[in-house]
Amino acid sequence: MGYNIGMRLIEDFLAKSSTGACSNFREVADMISKVGFKIFLNVTPTVTNWSSDNKQFSLIFEENPLADFVELPDDGKAQDELWYSNIFCGVLRGCLEMVQMQVEVHFVSDILRGNDTTEMRVTLVRYIDDEMPPDDD
């Protein structure tokens, strides 16, 4: 569900932010954090934990509007299996795929699960080449 939202949300983001193309993955991370999350959720996660090859980073959320007024059930499974805000991962994947980047996104920690912070990890898999559709000869 988040992936499909992201594929449509990128158009709204580009129209509202009126920004140009980013020149590297660090700029993409800053744009996601300081512009994207700010526009749509009014939060600004911190970009940190860059890998040495600049293809991975973490977003640390001080506050998560999806987690407000939420308490996970204490059934033994939810604390181990449920990532309540996982829709964010799909949204980022969908948005970035529409601008020619294939990424993997997952949560590392979540306050709802008893961790100290909510951390999402974003990994650049590859840049997607523009492909021309085959000719209908």
Side-chain angles (χ1 to χ4, degrees):
M1 185 167 62
Y3 177 79
N4 290 330
I5 292 169
M7 289 178 68
R8 288 165 179 78
L9 197 64
I10 189 68
E11 292 176 22
D12 195 37
F13 169 78
L14 293 172
K16 286 182 178 180
S17 66
S18 63
T19 58
C22 296
S23 61
N24 59 45
F25 201 50
R26 281 191 176 267
E27 285 184 25
V28 170
D30 286 338
M31 192 67 60
I32 290 168
S33 172
K34 295 176 182 164
V35 182
F37 275 100
K38 187 67 175 174
I39 288 174
F40 295 110
L41 295 172
N42 200 30
V43 297
T44 306
T46 305
V47 178
T48 187
N49 297 333
W50 279 96
S51 64
S52 59
D53 61 359
N54 288 329
K55 291 187 176 185
Q56 291 184 350
F57 65 90
S58 290
L59 293 170
I60 307 291
F61 293 84
E62 297 296 322
E63 54 186 302
N64 179 353
L66 287 185
D68 288 347
F69 311 111
V70 173
E71 189 174 312
L72 293 181
D74 196 14
D75 63 0
K77 291 176 93 177
Q79 296 293 327
D80 296 330
E81 298 175 9
L82 180 64
W83 292 97
Y84 188 78
S85 300
N86 210 33
I87 196 166
F88 287 157
C89 296
V91 169
L92 282 181
R93 275 190 337 105
C95 284
L96 292 176
E97 187 170 301
M98 294 304 290
V99 292
Q100 308 307 104
M101 283 179 257
Q102 181 182 358
V103 295
E104 291 178 358
V105 186
H106 64 277
F107 275 93
V108 176
S109 62
D110 192 346
I111 290 176
L112 288 174
R113 297 177 82 174
N115 303 111
D116 293 334
T117 61
T118 298
E119 178 180 351
M120 182 190 309
R121 192 82 178 147
V122 181
T123 304
L124 175 65
V125 175
R126 68 184 179 101
Y127 290 101
I128 301 169
D129 295 327
D130 284 331
E131 296 178 12
M132 299 300 292
D135 291 333
D136 290 337
D137 290 338

